Amino acid sequence: MQRSKRYPNLNIRSKNELAKHISGRSFSTQKALNLINDVIENFDHYWSDSKSSEPEEQKWVRSAAGTPLSVLLDRIDNKVLRPHDKMLPGFIFGGISGRNHIQAAHSLLGRRKKRMLLGLDITRFFEQISKRRVYEFFRYKCLCTKRIALLLAIFCCVPEGKKGSGQKNEMLARGFSTSPRLAVWTNLDTFLRLKWKTGHLLKGYDPKVAIFVDDIGISASRLDVNKMEQFESSVKNLLLNFDKNQKLPVNKEKTKKQAFSDGVEHLGLHLGRNKVTMGNKTRLKRKQVARQLTKTSGQEKRLLKKQNRSYYQYQKQIERINNQ
């Protein structure tokens, strides 16, 4: 079977091999195997719907916190998926170690003036990724056996909608530790095509692409409105139709086309000429915390000081990336 070199060569053939992959110095292969068998037996009892779910948006966040499933997912994420982060192209930032949203926003600045941003948000991204899609990634991209590919897909996916609602469709579980990486890997071909098409259609306009989980940012210089609208239509069509088995519809309400000079923000950061800065919401919250510090005492003041330190560290992180 031919395999693309852009995907991890996992080639896991049995439960024992999977156990070896997720074992470690203080976590023996036998202990890993016992964990796998436990989760197989009790999977449905080890996860629940989180209070942070958004039923009105049909976004159900799943939690396995404090259960053997959580331990297993963390080990799969860290031992099976994470070692291959470096294989992913540089324009993909979300769900990958060593890359963050500040770097994603900064990468859109470009070298030329008069820049414009096209910001797109994929609708219910995790819910678009079926259990079948996850299975095919492990089976055909990573060359695991049918049994192991199915087992990994079972661990990482849950039925659609509210737990217990009787839905039969199964999809990538929003909230599981394995989901951000799997969301990227299962859509890598589409994202690579998007990058290629951007370079092709916007050649000469200094195009930049940054993908952070379900947020897509594309910037270019000296584009007129008509050119940007034509490009937007092409990108949306690609996301929806490039892979007939994996449509990625865009949320129209969250789509934005804006010039940098108009104060555009992306991923919560203001995009300037040569640097990124805190977005308006974060800046406002930081000021509110600073004001409250002068009016409180005791435990509340200690909590506010902790928040204030977090904002200070965040500001330093932004400055470090700007100065790189």
Side-chain angles (χ1 to χ4, degrees):
M1 185 185 295
Q2 289 294 321
R3 168 187 162 271
S4 171
K5 292 182 180 180
R6 68 173 60 125
Y7 289 97
N9 184 16
L10 298 179
N11 197 25
I12 304 173
R13 295 167 293 179
S14 66
K15 279 198 299 182
N16 283 332
E17 285 192 13
L18 178 58
K20 288 179 182 178
H21 270 77
I22 66 171
S23 64
R25 289 182 180 178
S26 59
F27 200 84
S28 68
T29 300
Q30 185 58 53
K31 190 173 182 179
L33 186 59
N34 292 341
L35 176 65
I36 291 168
N37 288 328
D38 179 16
V39 172
I40 291 173
E41 184 72 23
N42 300 289
F43 176 80
D44 202 47
H45 300 291
Y46 287 159
W47 68 273
S48 60
D49 294 333
S50 169
K51 292 180 180 179
S52 58
S53 298
E54 301 175 68
E56 66 282 357
E57 299 291 335
Q58 295 183 309
K59 293 180 180 179
W60 293 92
V61 180
R62 322 297 186 164
S63 173
T67 73
L69 174 59
S70 177
V71 176
L72 178 59
L73 290 171
D74 285 347
R75 299 198 75 84
I76 291 172
D77 189 45
N78 288 312
K79 297 283 191 175
V80 178
L81 298 174
R82 183 173 182 170
H84 306 284
D85 282 356
K86 290 182 179 180
M87 293 181 69
L88 290 166
F91 67 92
I92 293 177
F93 294 86
I96 304 171
S97 54
R99 305 183 198 176
N100 58 46
H101 73 287
I102 306 173
Q103 294 167 319
H106 191 272
S107 72
L108 294 169
L109 299 184
R111 298 183 300 274
R112 301 179 187 173
K113 298 179 181 179
K114 297 184 179 180
R115 287 193 84 72
M116 179 176 284
L117 174 77
L118 172 63
L120 303 170
D121 178 88
I122 299 172
T123 302
R124 300 176 67 240
F125 186 36
F126 295 105
E127 288 79 7
Q128 304 293 343
I129 304 168
S130 68
K131 178 181 175 182
R132 179 73 186 181
R133 186 74 172 188
V134 177
Y135 164 81
E136 289 175 348
F137 163 68
F138 285 115
R139 176 72 180 112
Y140 300 115
K141 304 294 187 180
C142 303
L143 300 187
C144 294
T145 61
K146 291 181 180 179
R147 184 186 183 193
I148 293 303
L150 180 58
L151 200 57
L152 288 167
I154 288 172
F155 293 154
C156 300
C157 299
V158 298
E160 182 179 10
K162 182 179 175 63
K163 184 175 183 179
S165 61
Q167 295 283 354
K168 294 184 178 180
N169 294 331
E170 293 182 84
M171 65 217 19
L172 195 63
R174 179 184 292 271
F176 281 8
S177 57
T178 47
S179 293
R181 284 187 170 90
L182 286 175
V184 170
W185 281 114
T186 54
N187 288 283
L188 182 58
D189 290 345
T190 298
F191 292 154
L192 288 169
R193 184 67 177 182
L194 171 64
K195 181 68 163 63
W196 175 87
K197 189 156 192 172
T198 298
H200 177 69
L201 295 179
L202 300 183
K203 185 177 181 180
Y205 295 95
D206 189 29
K208 303 291 181 182
V209 177
I211 296 177
F212 190 84
V213 191
D214 56 354
D215 282 298
I216 299 174
I218 303 173
S219 69
S221 291
R222 303 182 186 281
L223 273 184
D224 60 43
V225 176
N226 289 335
K227 180 76 174 177
M228 179 58 91
E229 288 182 350
Q230 291 172 9
F231 174 70
E232 177 189 351
S233 178
S234 296
V235 169
K236 287 181 176 179
N237 182 62
L238 184 151
L239 290 170
L240 198 59
N241 299 307
F242 175 71
D243 187 334
K244 61 183 178 63
N245 296 314
Q246 182 64 73
K247 294 183 178 295
L248 297 176
V250 168
N251 187 330
K252 294 180 180 179
E253 294 180 0
K254 293 185 178 180
T255 297
K256 56 188 173 188
K257 295 189 297 290
Q258 193 174 358
F260 278 30
S261 58
D262 292 336
V264 67
E265 291 191 8
H266 187 63
L267 299 175
L269 291 157
H270 173 78
L271 306 184
R273 173 67 184 92
N274 299 306
K275 64 181 181 179
V276 297
T277 54
M278 282 187 186
N280 291 332
K281 287 185 179 179
T282 308
R283 195 185 302 275
L284 180 60
K285 288 179 181 178
R286 187 183 188 185
K287 288 181 178 179
Q288 289 174 341
V289 168
R291 283 197 298 268
Q292 290 172 348
L293 267 172
T294 63
K295 304 175 182 178
T296 58
S297 60
Q299 179 65 17
E300 185 178 355
K301 188 162 188 172
R302 284 191 288 272
L303 291 173
L304 288 170
K305 281 185 176 180
K306 186 176 180 180
Q307 290 181 42
N308 198 44
R309 283 195 298 272
S310 297
Y311 285 122
Y312 176 77
Q313 292 167 356
Y314 184 48
Q315 177 63 40
K316 287 298 180 183
Q317 188 178 12
I318 293 172
E319 291 173 2
R320 281 195 299 271
I321 291 173
N322 280 328
N323 293 327
Q324 286 177 353

